[in-house]
Amino acid sequence: QFWLQYGSLEVEGEGGDLNLAENYLAQAASISPYNPHIKNAQCNLYYRFSLYSSNITIAMDYKIKADTFANELLENIGIEDPHIHHIYCRGNYYFILKWIKEKDQKAIKLEALRRSAERAVKLHPRNKKIDQALQAINRAYLQLGVSDPLIPDPDIPQ
């Protein structure tokens, strides 16, 4: 729990050091390799790395790592735990906004993410964070039809 908390603070806190978080979470995983809370934190970390990467190749490598964690967690604990759905939706959403530049490709990716978020809402209908993620994804998808570049993309809260 100690390493998990320190790693999570570095990921979520302002001015956090993602490399330090990776070290802390790796230590936590070495002590408890099957702990879903640690895997959730690692998944979130790799989505963050994908956003702060300097190019699409490095970002895609981190996204693949994050998606690997997310798919395992969605399969194993996704029915009981809504948090991994939120991490998955948020991580993929911001990856799409940052790295997918072609409008038609962005539409395809957002539509697939929307379907995933809808399944998450059906599994966890009372979860406010997943509902907010779905609303943001829907708005971003609809905004693709508007040509006004001054309209900001919707946010998904932490």
Side-chain angles (χ1 to χ4, degrees):
Q1 287 293 355
F2 175 82
W3 295 117
L4 171 61
Q5 295 304 317
Y6 270 88
S8 295
L9 180 61
E10 291 295 332
V11 173
E12 300 295 335
E14 280 197 37
D17 183 334
L18 296 182
N19 292 310
L20 195 55
E22 185 175 34
N23 180 4
Y24 291 152
L25 293 175
Q27 290 184 54
S30 72
I31 295 167
S32 184
Y34 304 109
N35 185 314
H37 300 293
I38 295 169
K39 289 184 178 200
N40 271 342
Q42 288 175 306
C43 180
N44 192 30
L45 169 69
Y46 290 127
Y47 281 128
R48 289 290 174 99
F49 266 128
S50 76
L51 292 179
Y52 297 117
S53 296
S54 58
N55 65 60
I56 184 68
T57 304
I58 295 169
M60 186 57 79
D61 288 342
Y62 281 120
K63 184 183 177 301
I64 290 168
K65 279 184 179 181
D67 285 344
T68 300
F69 275 102
N71 290 329
E72 176 190 336
L73 289 162
L74 287 167
E75 184 176 313
N76 293 330
I77 65 166
I79 291 174
E80 301 91 32
D81 184 6
H83 189 59
I84 185 56
H85 293 280
H86 181 259
I87 292 170
Y88 176 81
C89 289
R90 191 172 194 282
N92 276 281
Y93 175 73
Y94 284 111
F95 182 88
I96 292 166
L97 292 184
K98 179 169 183 179
W99 294 109
I100 308 300
K101 301 300 180 194
E102 294 181 27
K103 201 175 209 178
D104 59 336
Q105 285 300 310
K106 191 177 276 195
I108 291 168
K109 299 285 187 186
L110 284 171
E111 175 60 24
L113 185 58
R114 185 186 64 77
R115 286 192 305 271
S116 181
E118 284 176 340
R119 284 190 299 274
V121 166
K122 286 179 184 174
L123 284 172
H124 306 284
R126 292 188 176 109
N127 188 282
K128 184 178 177 182
K129 286 185 174 187
I130 295 173
D131 187 55
Q132 289 172 331
L134 176 58
Q135 290 177 30
I137 294 163
N138 280 332
R139 284 192 311 273
Y141 181 79
L142 292 172
Q143 283 179 206
L144 290 174
V146 177
S147 61
D148 187 351
L150 298 177
I151 298 174
D153 290 315
D155 282 330
I156 296 178
Q158 291 273 2

